[in-house]
Amino acid sequence: MQLFQKDFLKDDWGRVQNFTNAFLNDMYRIVSLDVDYSGDKKTETYLKSGLYQKALSMQLSLGYWGEQRHRSLSSKLALAILQLRWAALTFAMGFRTHPSGSTSAKEAEAHRAEAVRSFYGIISWILSLRNFVVDEITTLATRVINRTRGPPDYESSRARIHELNTPALALIFVSQSRLLFKYVFRFIRMLGEEAQQHGFKDPVWRELTTLLSKSPAALHQFEQFFADVEKTVRQIYDNERVSDAERRDVEREMLISGCIPPRLWPAVEVLFTITLDVVLKEFNVADLFFHDISWLGLSDDPESDRWREKHRLDIIRKIELPMHARIRRCTRCCSVMEDIAPPRGAAGWLINMWRSCICGNWWMGIKGEDETSNGKRQAAIA
């Protein structure tokens, strides 16, 4: 597909974008994939369907141009949703593991603590993604309003979103990502309450409390932020008497393009001019601004580019890997994970989860890496 884009579309960005959007639109339509989760649909139904993963995986790969170029907006949105889906599956699987055989209450508690420890990296990633969304939307709102000197108009704002190449706005308007955010927040909030009950005696729960306390805002404040956006979107659908078919078209357009369609633009105006002002009063804006989001892989700023050049992130456990670590690399999205022996005990959920990449593709074993003068990694296949 990328060869087709290069050879026949001549890397013309406008033609490539139009072709990609048309291809993805037909793909979602042909497989009859309902991407509208703005109603009261269950998260478990979404997580159990492998079609969503496959469709997002295709969307992810169409916007990937190699390590030397930035992903497209559509590809970034797919990457973020796939990782949120992965986090939701991780929590669902991880909390179902129980120690084998008859165990004492003390052993069961130790097993629980071990499971929580294995979630540290994923929880940290989710909190960073949350901060990224608020920070990017604040930046976008400031630049759009300053440019228009009034209520943000649709055309200039859409162009600005493409210029910044940030999926933050789409992440809170696309119903799939909102659904997944709410799901993982519920688990994190539950763990936070459990950590408070344990106090500071147990190092595992103490470290979790510290991790959650470093955030620029409490979890419930961001949940309220999402709830306000969802309420505004539902009001627009209800006031305009949008049919189910029309709502699916709107959701599909947002998911594919990463931009908000004109029909929902009034909700963006409310977000930029009212909701955001209320939210920022409760956030520690300074901490939010200086929070490190370079490791998320969703920004195009120089700091994020430097992080990607010098660091490697285990896409499964969301931890930074040493450069000498033995790794596996995904043959589709090029994400990596550490090639280690299958874990046992409470972290055994990883065995079922790491057989394939978050995008659903297979791993390629890497037995050694050498850095060339231009910084490109040359890998030898094991």
Side-chain angles (χ1 to χ4, degrees):
M1 187 64 70
Q2 289 180 346
L3 288 175
F4 173 79
Q5 293 176 344
K6 182 177 181 62
D7 295 340
F8 291 92
L9 301 180
K10 307 301 181 183
D11 274 349
D12 184 308
W13 181 245
R15 296 175 65 193
V16 168
Q17 193 65 41
N18 291 336
F19 165 77
T20 301
N21 289 349
F23 180 89
L24 291 173
N25 188 69
D26 285 344
M27 178 193 70
Y28 281 107
R29 181 178 52 82
I30 290 172
V31 299
S32 300
L33 197 58
D34 184 6
V35 298
D36 176 26
Y37 273 79
S38 57
D40 297 323
K41 298 180 181 178
K42 294 183 178 180
T43 312
E44 288 75 12
T45 304
Y46 174 81
L47 295 177
K48 289 179 180 178
S49 175
L51 272 178
Y52 290 102
Q53 182 188 39
K54 293 176 181 178
L56 288 169
S57 177
M58 176 61 72
Q59 182 171 329
L60 171 68
S61 61
L62 286 177
Y64 179 69
W65 302 86
E67 292 184 353
Q68 305 305 311
R69 296 177 63 178
H70 297 134
R71 291 185 182 273
S72 69
L73 178 57
S74 176
S75 180
K76 285 183 178 181
L77 179 59
L79 176 63
I81 295 177
L82 280 169
Q83 294 194 81
L84 279 171
R85 179 182 180 274
W86 165 257
L89 283 170
T90 297
F91 288 143
M93 293 292 294
F95 279 107
R96 289 176 184 172
T97 60
H98 301 283
S100 58
S102 59
T103 57
S104 64
K106 186 176 181 180
E107 290 173 331
E109 181 62 33
H111 186 276
R112 175 78 167 179
E114 184 183 351
V116 170
R117 188 190 296 275
S118 68
F119 296 147
Y120 281 170
I122 298 170
I123 293 174
S124 180
W125 181 89
I126 293 171
L127 296 178
S128 290
L129 181 64
R130 179 197 66 172
N131 298 335
F132 163 82
V133 168
V134 177
D135 184 44
E136 289 288 294
I137 290 178
T138 303
T139 301
L140 182 61
T142 302
R143 295 185 181 183
V144 167
I145 293 175
N146 285 346
R147 174 173 289 192
T148 60
R149 294 184 179 179
D153 67 278
Y154 178 72
E155 292 301 331
S156 64
S157 300
R158 183 185 177 95
R160 194 59 170 164
I161 292 172
H162 272 290
E163 179 185 341
L164 295 175
N165 199 29
T166 175
L169 191 60
L171 280 171
I172 63 171
F173 275 91
V174 171
S175 58
Q176 287 187 43
S177 51
R178 283 206 313 270
L179 179 83
L180 292 170
F181 263 122
K182 288 188 292 185
Y183 188 82
V184 297
F185 284 164
R186 186 167 69 247
F187 275 100
I188 295 177
R189 186 174 64 252
M190 179 184 66
L191 286 175
E193 293 171 355
E194 192 171 348
Q196 290 180 350
Q197 294 175 2
H198 283 82
F200 289 89
K201 295 181 179 180
D202 191 303
V204 173
W205 297 103
R206 182 173 63 247
E207 188 172 349
L208 176 62
T209 301
T210 303
L211 176 63
L212 296 177
S213 64
K214 289 181 179 179
S215 180
L219 201 60
H220 74 273
Q221 294 171 334
F222 195 75
E223 289 179 293
Q224 184 60 47
F225 178 52
F226 262 60
D228 291 343
V229 172
E230 186 165 18
K231 179 181 178 180
T232 307
V233 170
R234 288 190 176 187
Q235 286 177 344
I236 292 175
Y237 284 151
D238 292 340
N239 293 340
E240 297 187 8
R241 297 181 180 179
V242 179
S243 65
D244 291 345
E246 290 175 318
R247 197 167 62 238
R248 284 193 292 269
D249 290 341
V250 171
E251 288 288 340
R252 186 166 60 246
E253 180 183 348
M254 282 194 293
L255 179 62
I256 291 173
S257 67
C259 289
I260 314 304
R263 189 161 225 162
L264 292 182
W265 194 248
V268 178
E269 293 180 348
V270 172
L271 171 65
F272 283 175
T273 58
I274 300 176
T275 307
L276 199 57
D277 289 340
V278 175
V279 168
L280 290 179
K281 291 178 181 178
E282 301 178 349
F283 276 60
N284 187 325
V285 180
D287 287 351
L288 182 67
F289 180 80
F290 289 106
H291 187 85
D292 183 17
I293 57 175
S294 59
W295 66 303
L296 296 176
L298 300 175
S299 303
D300 296 343
D301 58 279
E303 184 179 352
S304 298
D305 290 340
R306 287 192 294 270
W307 196 97
R308 286 190 288 269
E309 290 175 1
K310 298 179 180 180
H311 303 82
R312 291 189 305 197
L313 181 71
D314 188 315
I315 199 68
I316 302 298
R317 294 179 294 161
K318 297 292 187 293
I319 61 173
E320 185 179 345
L321 299 176
M323 297 304 294
H324 62 271
R326 184 182 177 92
I327 63 171
R328 300 178 187 179
R329 188 184 297 276
C330 176
T331 55
R332 172 170 291 172
C333 70
C334 294
S335 299
V336 300
M337 65 163 287
E338 188 173 11
D339 191 3
I340 57 177
R344 297 186 179 185
W349 55 269
L350 280 169
I351 298 176
N352 295 324
M353 304 295 284
W354 71 0
R355 291 195 176 102
S356 61
C357 180
I358 62 167
C359 70
N361 217 51
W362 300 111
W363 297 108
M364 174 180 67
I366 305 295
K367 70 178 182 181
E369 288 195 336
D370 297 316
E371 296 292 335
T372 61
S373 59
N374 60 2
K376 293 183 179 179
R377 294 175 185 145
Q378 303 297 324
I381 302 177

